[in-house]
Amino acid sequence: MSPLDNIAKLSHLTRRDIQKNWLIATAAGKPIQPVTLNEKQYIIWPAGRQIQYLTQKIIVPEHLAGYPLEGMELRLILTWWAEDVKIYVNNQFIQAGDLFDSSTRILLSNSVSTGQEILVTLRLVSPNHDIGGLMKSELIYEYSQAIDPSFVADELTILHNYLQTFYPENLAAFTATLDNIDWNNVTNKDKFNQSLESIRQSLQLLAKPLKERSFHLLGHAHLDMAWLWPLAETWQVAKNTFISVLNLQKDFPALIFGHSSPLIYEWIEKHHLDLFQAILEAYKGQSWELLGGMWVEPEVNLISGESLFRQLLYGQKYFQEKFGQITKTAWLPDTFGFPYQLPQILKSFGIKYFITGKLHWNDTTKFPHGFFWWQSPDGSKILSLMSPPNVAGVMDTNPIIMTDHALNWERQTGLKEIFWLPGVGDHGGGPTRDMLEVAQRWQKSPFFPQLKFSQATTYLNSLETSNLPIWDDELYLEFHRGCYTTHADQKSYNRYCEILLYQGELWSSLANILLEIPYPKVEIESAWKKVLLNQFHDILPGTSIPEVFRDANQLWRQVISTGEAILDQSLQAIANKINLPNPPHSQAKPFLVFNSLNWERSQVVSLAVESFNCSVYDLNNCLCLSQLSHDNQLLFLAENIPSVGYKLFWLVANQPAAEQNLTNCQFILDNGLLKVTINSETGDIDSIFDIINQKEILQAAGNQLQAFKDQGQYWDAWNIDPNYQQYPLPKTVLKSIKCLECGPLRWQIRVIRNLADSEFCQDYILEKDSPILQIKTIVNWQQEHTLVKTAFPLTLNSNFTTYEIACGAIERDHEPESPKWEVYAHKWADLTDKEANYGVSLLNNNKYGYDATNQQLRLTLLRSPRWPDPEADLGKQEFTYAIYPHQGNWKTAKTVHHAWQLNSPVNVIFINNSSRSTQLPPVAQWLKFSADNLILMSFKQSETASRGWVMRVYECQGENAVIDWQNQLQLTIKESIDGLERAIDPMEQISPWQIATWLLKN
Ligand SMILES: [Zn+2]
C-alpha cells in the first residue's frame, strides 16, 4: 500500500463525512426529505435570509471499519456560509454562529457507547446578498489526551509533506515503516494502538527536523469598526471579545492576544474601566500586544498624507499615554492596497514593522514575497510581513492547514519560523477554547513543528533580515477596484474635510500667533478623530450597510460644522484687525481674499451682491476687471494673492459691471489661452485647442460620458466587473445646451444630458488667465449596476501615466494585460508625451478612480452597486474635474499646484467696518518657501502646546529642495521632528519625495 493509502485508511477508522445524511426539516425539526449535494458536496439554498432547517440522528456504531469506538470522545465538525446559525443537540441549544464565526468543532459526547443516539438540528439563515451553504459536516472520534487513528493519520500526513518537500531522500524509509501498521488487529484497539505507537517511535528520527521549525501563534480577532453592522454593535463585540480572551488566558496562561485600533481601547477605557485595567495588566504581563498604531485600521490609498500622519499621531499618542509605550508594528491585515509613501510615514512614528495579509486576495498576480523590505520613493525602508492567508474570517489551529501554510512559507522565504493568527475575526471573536486545546495537543506531538505563543513584534525581531528582497513600489491590491468610486458621498466628504481641517488649523494657528486668539486644540483634535474613524476600511471605501453611512454622514457634518466655524472665526478675527487704507469710495466695503496655499495665486472670485451695480477695487484703489455671472454674482479676478496670506479689496456699489454679451457664443469658449468647442448635438467637446502652443489635444470627442454594465461580482460594492468594457450602455442624449457666460472673466456653457434615467448637468468653464477647462457637474444618479467614466482621447502618446498619491506621485505603465486596469489617484493624473514635450493633466475635486491607455485618460465618475447598501449613490452627486493641457511635463507645468488650487479655493471675508485697528497690514504673506516644490501639508500647534508650532511639508516633484523660508510671524526653526514630534537629526536639505516636519518657536 502507498503511504497515502495507509494514511487515508487510518483516518477512516475514526472519521466520517456525514454531509449527505442531513434531512431537510420543518421549523419544528420534523424531517421532510433528504438533502441533495451540489458538485462541491455543499448543501445550498437561496439567498434573501431564507431559513433552512436540517436535522439528523447520529447513532454511534460499535466500530468504524473494525475499529471499536466505545469510550471515545465524539466531535461534530461543521463549516457554513450563513448569516445566522443555531445548533441544537438533543433539542438543547448549544452554539450560535454567523458569516464570520463560520465553523465549529462541537463536543457531542465525552465517552460514547454503542447505539447511543444524538439528535442534531441546525437552523441556518442565508445571507441577504448570497446563497446559503453548509459546506462540511464531519464526525470525529478522538482521544484528546492520547493518540487515536485520525490523529496519527494527521501526524503522518504532516511528516509525509515535510519529507516530500525538504527531505525526499527519506521518503522510502517512511513508506516502509507505514507498511508495519498492524491492520490485522484493527478490531483490537489496544493492540492496534500499540502498533501505531511503535510506528510513531520508529519515525521519530525522521521527524526530528520538524522540531527545528516553530509556529509563533498570536491570538487575534479582526474587528471591523462598522461593516455589515453599525458602530454601536462594534463596541459590544469588542467588549465581549476582550472579556473572552482574558477569561481564556486564565485557563491557558500561554495565550498571547494582539489587537489594534486605539479608538476601541479608548471606548473600553471610558465605558468599562475594569475591563480596561485588566487589559492593561495583561499588557504589562506581556500576554497582550498593542498593534497598528493608527487610530483605526483605515483605508490608506485614498486618504491624504496628513490623514496618514494623524491616524498615527493620535493612535501612537494614545498608546504612549495609556500603556506607556508606542507600538513598533503597523497592522493593516484587511486594507485594500497600500501607498508608496507609507513606509516613510510609518517610520516617522517609530514603527519598525508592517504586517498585512490582504495581498493574498490578488486576482491576477501572486504577490512574490512573504518577508521583504518595502521601500518608499525617498528610500525609507520598512520590514514587511505577509501574514498567513485568511479568506474565511476564521483561522483555527487545524494542523494540516497550518503546516500546508508553513511549507509554502518556507519555500517562499526560507524561514523556519512561522507566524499564525488563531481566532475568529471580522466581527470579533478571537481564539476559542477548542482552538487552544487543539494547539496544546499538537504542541506535544513529535510530528509537528514547535508551537508557542508570541507577540508579532517579538516574532519579527527574531527573524534574520539579511538578503531580503526589496519592493520599491506601491502595494497594489488586484481586487476591490470599485472602492475608489463607490459611495461618492464618502469620498467627497473626506476630501473636503481633509482640506477644511488643514485650513482651519493653519488659520487658527496664525490667529493665535498674530492676535493671541485662543487655539481650538480640543475641537480640532475631536474633528480629526471623526475624520479618522470615517476613514475606516469599510466606510470610506463605501462597502457597508446603509446604517453605517447614516452614522458616518452625521460625523462628517459635525466635522464640517466645527471646521467651518474654526476657519471662519480665525479669518474673521484676522480680518477685523486690518489697518485699513483710505477707501476708494465713502461707502466702499472692505474684504479680504485669503490664500491657504504656500504659493502666490490668482483666481476668479464670485461675490454675492445685493445690488447688481457693483465693482471691486484693489488695494491701490484701482478698478478690478469684473463681470456679472449668469446667477447674478459679481465676478472679479483676485490677482496675486500672497502665499499663506491675504489681500484687501473693496466692494463699491452703484458702478456698472461689464454687460453680458452672449450673442456670439456659438458654443465656443475662448479665453485667449484655450479655445474649447462644444458639440451642440452631443454636448461632448469637439476641440480643445491650446492657442499659445498651437496644439489640438483631442483626438476624438472629449468628455464622453461612457456608461458600462457593471454587475455580477460577488463583492458588489468592492469590485468593478473585470469585463465591464465588453458591456457598453447607450450613449448620453443631449437635452439642452446653453451659453451662460461669455467673458471677460469667465466663459461658461451648460450642457444637460440624459444617461438612461439619470441627468448630468455640466458646466464647461474657462476663467481669465487660466489654461484649465473646468467641468462642474451635478448629477441626478438613478442607475443600477452601472459604471460611468468620462473619457478624453488625446493626440498624445505615452506608455505610462503619472498619478498623484499621498505626499507624492507614481508612474504606472499601460501594459495591456496589467492588473492595474483601474487605479486610484488623489487630485490629478497626467499623461505626458515625452517626444512632443507636451501633456494633459486631468484634475478632480473629489474623485479617485482612473484608467489610462497610451492615448487616453479616463476618470471614473460613478458606480451603483446594490450590496451591502441597496441604495448606494442614488440621488444628487456633485463634483468638478478639469482638463489642463500643458507644455512640458506635469512638473514644469505645476500640475500639483493647480490641483491643490482646484481643491482649496480662496476664502473671502468681509471686514467689520466699525472695528478699526492698526495691528495687521492690508496685504500679507505670512509664509513662503523659496523652493516651489515644497507643499505645506500641516501647520498646527504642537501636541505639547508650550513647545511651539509644528510645520510639515512634502517634496512634491521628486527633486531636491533647499530649506529656505521667509515668514512674517517671527518664528524660527527650533528643530527637526518626527511624526510624534520628537526631535531628530537636523536636515541639511530636503531630498526627493521627502516629508519634513519642524518644530517652530517664537
Ligand atoms: Zn476588515
Side-chain angles (χ1 to χ4, degrees), residues 6-35:
N6 264 319
I7 292 170
K9 192 173 168 188
L10 196 54
S11 179
H12 204 62
L13 296 182
T14 47
R15 226 182 245 265
R16 276 296 183 271
D17 182 346
I18 55 164
Q19 182 81 338
K20 63 178 188 310
N21 303 353
W22 292 104
L23 299 166
I24 295 172
T26 64
K30 192 170 163 255
I32 307 170
Q33 63 186 77
V35 292

CSV table of all heavy atoms in Angstrom, one decimal, residues 6-35:
chain,number,residue,atom,x,y,z
A,6,ASN,N,-2.3,4.2,3.1
A,6,ASN,CA,-2.3,3.8,4.5
A,6,ASN,C,-2.9,4.9,5.4
A,6,ASN,O,-3.6,4.6,6.3
A,6,ASN,CB,-0.8,3.5,5.0
A,6,ASN,CG,-0.5,2.0,4.9
A,6,ASN,OD1,-1.3,1.2,5.3
A,6,ASN,ND2,0.7,1.7,4.4
A,7,ILE,N,-2.5,6.1,5.1
A,7,ILE,CA,-2.9,7.2,5.9
A,7,ILE,C,-4.4,7.4,5.8
A,7,ILE,O,-5.1,7.6,6.8
A,7,ILE,CB,-2.2,8.5,5.6
A,7,ILE,CG1,-0.7,8.4,5.9
A,7,ILE,CG2,-2.8,9.8,6.2
A,7,ILE,CD1,0.2,9.5,5.4
A,8,ALA,N,-4.9,7.3,4.6
A,8,ALA,CA,-6.4,7.5,4.3
A,8,ALA,C,-7.2,6.5,5.1
A,8,ALA,O,-8.2,6.7,5.7
A,8,ALA,CB,-6.7,7.5,2.8
A,9,LYS,N,-6.6,5.2,5.0
A,9,LYS,CA,-7.3,4.1,5.6
A,9,LYS,C,-7.4,4.3,7.2
A,9,LYS,O,-8.4,4.1,7.8
A,9,LYS,CB,-6.6,2.8,5.3
A,9,LYS,CG,-7.4,1.6,5.6
A,9,LYS,CD,-6.6,0.3,5.1
A,9,LYS,CE,-7.2,-0.9,5.6
A,9,LYS,NZ,-6.4,-2.1,5.3
A,10,LEU,N,-6.3,4.8,7.7
A,10,LEU,CA,-6.2,5.1,9.1
A,10,LEU,C,-7.2,6.1,9.5
A,10,LEU,O,-7.9,6.0,10.5
A,10,LEU,CB,-4.7,5.5,9.4
A,10,LEU,CG,-4.2,5.5,10.8
A,10,LEU,CD1,-4.4,4.1,11.4
A,10,LEU,CD2,-2.7,5.9,10.8
A,11,SER,N,-7.2,7.2,8.8
A,11,SER,CA,-8.1,8.3,9.1
A,11,SER,C,-9.5,7.9,9.1
A,11,SER,O,-10.3,8.3,9.9
A,11,SER,CB,-7.9,9.4,8.1
A,11,SER,OG,-8.7,10.5,8.3
A,12,HIS,N,-9.8,6.9,8.2
A,12,HIS,CA,-11.2,6.5,8.0
A,12,HIS,C,-11.7,5.7,9.2
A,12,HIS,O,-12.9,5.4,9.4
A,12,HIS,CB,-11.3,5.6,6.7
A,12,HIS,CG,-12.6,5.6,6.2
A,12,HIS,ND1,-13.3,6.7,5.7
A,12,HIS,CD2,-13.5,4.5,5.9
A,12,HIS,CE1,-14.5,6.4,5.3
A,12,HIS,NE2,-14.6,5.1,5.4
A,13,LEU,N,-10.8,5.3,10.1
A,13,LEU,CA,-11.2,4.5,11.3
A,13,LEU,C,-12.0,5.3,12.3
A,13,LEU,O,-12.7,4.7,13.1
A,13,LEU,CB,-10.0,3.8,11.9
A,13,LEU,CG,-9.2,2.8,11.1
A,13,LEU,CD1,-8.0,2.2,11.9
A,13,LEU,CD2,-10.1,1.7,10.6
A,14,THR,N,-11.7,6.6,12.3
A,14,THR,CA,-12.4,7.4,13.4
A,14,THR,C,-13.0,8.7,12.8
A,14,THR,O,-13.3,9.6,13.6
A,14,THR,CB,-11.3,7.8,14.4
A,14,THR,OG1,-10.2,8.3,13.8
A,14,THR,CG2,-11.0,6.6,15.3
A,15,ARG,N,-13.2,8.8,11.5
A,15,ARG,CA,-13.7,10.0,10.9
A,15,ARG,C,-14.8,9.6,9.9
A,15,ARG,O,-14.6,8.7,9.1
A,15,ARG,CB,-12.5,10.6,10.2
A,15,ARG,CG,-12.3,12.1,10.4
A,15,ARG,CD,-11.2,12.5,9.5
A,15,ARG,NE,-10.0,12.9,10.2
A,15,ARG,CZ,-9.8,14.2,10.5
A,15,ARG,NH1,-10.6,15.1,10.1
A,15,ARG,NH2,-8.8,14.5,11.2
A,16,ARG,N,-15.8,10.4,9.9
A,16,ARG,CA,-16.9,10.1,8.9
A,16,ARG,C,-17.5,11.4,8.4
A,16,ARG,O,-17.8,12.3,9.1
A,16,ARG,CB,-18.0,9.3,9.5
A,16,ARG,CG,-17.8,7.8,9.5
A,16,ARG,CD,-17.7,7.2,8.1
A,16,ARG,NE,-17.5,5.8,8.1
A,16,ARG,CZ,-16.3,5.2,8.1
A,16,ARG,NH1,-15.2,5.9,8.2
A,16,ARG,NH2,-16.2,3.9,8.2
A,17,ASP,N,-17.6,11.5,7.1
A,17,ASP,CA,-18.3,12.6,6.4
A,17,ASP,C,-19.8,12.3,6.5
A,17,ASP,O,-20.3,11.2,6.1
A,17,ASP,CB,-17.9,12.6,4.9
A,17,ASP,CG,-18.5,13.8,4.2
A,17,ASP,OD1,-19.5,14.3,4.7
A,17,ASP,OD2,-18.1,14.1,3.1
A,18,ILE,N,-20.5,13.2,7.1
A,18,ILE,CA,-22.0,12.9,7.3
A,18,ILE,C,-22.8,14.0,6.6
A,18,ILE,O,-24.0,14.2,6.9
A,18,ILE,CB,-22.4,12.9,8.8
A,18,ILE,CG1,-21.9,14.2,9.5
A,18,ILE,CG2,-21.8,11.7,9.5
A,18,ILE,CD1,-22.6,14.4,10.8
A,19,GLN,N,-22.2,14.6,5.6
A,19,GLN,CA,-22.8,15.7,4.9
A,19,GLN,C,-24.1,15.2,4.2
A,19,GLN,O,-25.1,15.9,4.2
A,19,GLN,CB,-21.8,16.2,3.8
A,19,GLN,CG,-22.3,17.4,3.0
A,19,GLN,CD,-22.2,18.7,3.7
A,19,GLN,OE1,-22.2,18.8,4.9
A,19,GLN,NE2,-22.2,19.8,2.9
A,20,LYS,N,-24.1,14.0,3.6
A,20,LYS,CA,-25.2,13.6,2.8
A,20,LYS,C,-26.4,13.0,3.7
A,20,LYS,O,-27.5,12.7,3.2
A,20,LYS,CB,-24.8,12.5,1.8
A,20,LYS,CG,-24.3,11.2,2.4
A,20,LYS,CD,-23.9,10.2,1.3
A,20,LYS,CE,-23.5,8.9,1.9
A,20,LYS,NZ,-22.5,8.9,2.9
A,21,ASN,N,-26.1,12.9,5.0
A,21,ASN,CA,-27.1,12.3,5.9
A,21,ASN,C,-28.1,13.3,6.4
A,21,ASN,O,-29.0,12.9,7.2
A,21,ASN,CB,-26.4,11.6,7.1
A,21,ASN,CG,-25.4,10.6,6.7
A,21,ASN,OD1,-25.3,10.3,5.5
A,21,ASN,ND2,-24.7,10.1,7.7
A,22,TRP,N,-27.9,14.6,6.1
A,22,TRP,CA,-28.9,15.6,6.6
A,22,TRP,C,-30.3,15.4,6.0
A,22,TRP,O,-30.4,15.0,4.8
A,22,TRP,CB,-28.4,17.0,6.4
A,22,TRP,CG,-27.2,17.4,7.2
A,22,TRP,CD1,-25.9,17.5,6.7
A,22,TRP,CD2,-27.1,17.7,8.6
A,22,TRP,NE1,-25.0,17.8,7.7
A,22,TRP,CE2,-25.8,18.0,8.9
A,22,TRP,CE3,-28.1,17.8,9.6
A,22,TRP,CZ2,-25.4,18.3,10.2
A,22,TRP,CZ3,-27.7,18.1,10.8
A,22,TRP,CH2,-26.3,18.4,11.1
A,23,LEU,N,-31.3,15.7,6.8
A,23,LEU,CA,-32.6,15.8,6.2
A,23,LEU,C,-33.1,17.2,6.4
A,23,LEU,O,-32.9,17.8,7.4
A,23,LEU,CB,-33.5,14.8,7.1
A,23,LEU,CG,-33.1,13.3,7.1
A,23,LEU,CD1,-33.9,12.6,8.2
A,23,LEU,CD2,-33.4,12.7,5.7
A,24,ILE,N,-33.8,17.7,5.3
A,24,ILE,CA,-34.4,19.0,5.4
A,24,ILE,C,-35.6,18.8,6.4
A,24,ILE,O,-36.3,17.8,6.3
A,24,ILE,CB,-34.9,19.4,4.0
A,24,ILE,CG1,-33.6,19.7,3.2
A,24,ILE,CG2,-35.7,20.7,4.1
A,24,ILE,CD1,-33.9,19.9,1.7
A,25,ALA,N,-35.8,19.8,7.3
A,25,ALA,CA,-36.8,19.6,8.3
A,25,ALA,C,-37.7,20.8,8.4
A,25,ALA,O,-37.4,21.9,7.8
A,25,ALA,CB,-36.1,19.4,9.6
A,26,THR,N,-38.8,20.7,9.1
A,26,THR,CA,-39.7,21.8,9.4
A,26,THR,C,-39.1,22.6,10.5
A,26,THR,O,-38.1,22.2,11.2
A,26,THR,CB,-41.1,21.3,9.8
A,26,THR,OG1,-40.9,20.6,11.0
A,26,THR,CG2,-41.7,20.4,8.7
A,27,ALA,N,-39.7,23.8,10.8
A,27,ALA,CA,-39.3,24.6,11.9
A,27,ALA,C,-39.3,23.8,13.2
A,27,ALA,O,-38.6,24.1,14.1
A,27,ALA,CB,-40.1,25.9,12.0
A,28,ALA,N,-40.2,22.8,13.3
A,28,ALA,CA,-40.4,22.1,14.5
A,28,ALA,C,-39.3,20.9,14.5
A,28,ALA,O,-39.3,20.2,15.5
A,28,ALA,CB,-41.8,21.5,14.6
A,29,GLY,N,-38.5,20.8,13.5
A,29,GLY,CA,-37.5,19.8,13.5
A,29,GLY,C,-38.0,18.5,12.9
A,29,GLY,O,-37.2,17.5,12.9
A,30,LYS,N,-39.1,18.5,12.3
A,30,LYS,CA,-39.7,17.2,11.7
A,30,LYS,C,-39.1,17.0,10.3
A,30,LYS,O,-39.1,17.9,9.4
A,30,LYS,CB,-41.2,17.4,11.6
A,30,LYS,CG,-41.9,16.1,11.3
A,30,LYS,CD,-43.4,16.2,11.4
A,30,LYS,CE,-44.1,15.1,10.7
A,30,LYS,NZ,-44.7,15.5,9.4
A,31,PRO,N,-38.4,15.9,10.1
A,31,PRO,CA,-37.8,15.6,8.8
A,31,PRO,C,-38.8,15.6,7.6
A,31,PRO,O,-39.9,15.1,7.8
A,31,PRO,CB,-37.1,14.3,9.0
A,31,PRO,CG,-37.2,13.9,10.4
A,31,PRO,CD,-38.3,14.7,11.0
A,32,ILE,N,-38.4,16.2,6.5
A,32,ILE,CA,-39.2,16.2,5.3
A,32,ILE,C,-38.7,15.3,4.2
A,32,ILE,O,-39.3,14.4,3.7
A,32,ILE,CB,-39.5,17.6,4.8
A,32,ILE,CG1,-40.0,18.5,5.9
A,32,ILE,CG2,-40.5,17.6,3.6
A,32,ILE,CD1,-40.0,20.0,5.5
A,33,GLN,N,-37.4,15.6,3.9
A,33,GLN,CA,-36.8,14.9,2.7
A,33,GLN,C,-35.3,15.0,2.8
A,33,GLN,O,-34.8,15.9,3.5
A,33,GLN,CB,-37.3,15.5,1.4
A,33,GLN,CG,-36.8,16.9,1.3
A,33,GLN,CD,-37.3,17.6,0.1
A,33,GLN,OE1,-38.5,18.0,0.0
A,33,GLN,NE2,-36.5,17.7,-0.9
A,34,PRO,N,-34.6,14.0,2.2
A,34,PRO,CA,-33.1,14.1,2.2
A,34,PRO,C,-32.6,15.3,1.5
A,34,PRO,O,-33.3,15.8,0.6
A,34,PRO,CB,-32.7,12.8,1.5
A,34,PRO,CG,-33.9,12.0,1.3
A,34,PRO,CD,-35.1,12.9,1.4
A,35,VAL,N,-31.4,15.7,1.8
A,35,VAL,CA,-30.8,16.8,1.1
A,35,VAL,C,-30.2,16.3,-0.2
A,35,VAL,O,-29.9,15.1,-0.4
A,35,VAL,CB,-29.7,17.5,1.9
A,35,VAL,CG1,-30.2,18.2,3.1
A,35,VAL,CG2,-28.6,16.5,2.3
